[in-house]
Amino acid sequence: MQKNRIEKAYYRKRKALKQMEVAEKAGISCSYLSKIETGKVRYSLAVLIQIAKVLDIDPGELLTDGSSY
C-alpha cells in the first residue's frame, strides 16, 4: 500500500459520487483527485479536509488501510 493515499476511493463510491462531483465541491481538479486516490501525488491537510467535508466524514477515515471495510 502506498502511504497517504485515499484508499480505493471507497468513501466516494459508497456515496455514489463521481470524481468530478467531489473534485468540484472540494475546489480541486478531477485529475488531481484521481492522483490523490491512486497515491500518485502528495496533498495538503487542507485538501484532505475539503475532500472529507464533501464526503461528510472525518478526515482520518480517508487514510485507513482498508482493513475496516
Side-chain angles (χ1 to χ4, degrees), residues 10-30:
Y10 171 77
Y11 294 99
R12 177 179 58 79
K13 291 178 181 179
R14 185 176 75 178
K15 295 197 178 244
L17 294 171
K18 297 181 182 194
Q19 277 185 338
M20 184 175 288
E21 295 172 291
V22 174
E24 286 177 0
K25 290 177 181 179
I28 60 176
S29 72
C30 188

Side-chain angles (χ1 to χ4, degrees), residues 16-53:
L17 294 171
K18 297 181 182 194
Q19 277 185 338
M20 184 175 288
E21 295 172 291
V22 174
E24 286 177 0
K25 290 177 181 179
I28 60 176
S29 72
C30 188
S31 64
Y32 186 46
L33 178 58
S34 175
K35 290 175 184 174
I36 291 171
E37 288 181 347
T38 58
K40 293 180 180 175
V41 296
R42 293 180 183 240
Y43 50 90
S44 69
L45 180 58
V47 169
L48 178 73
I49 291 169
Q50 284 303 113
I51 294 169
K53 284 181 183 178

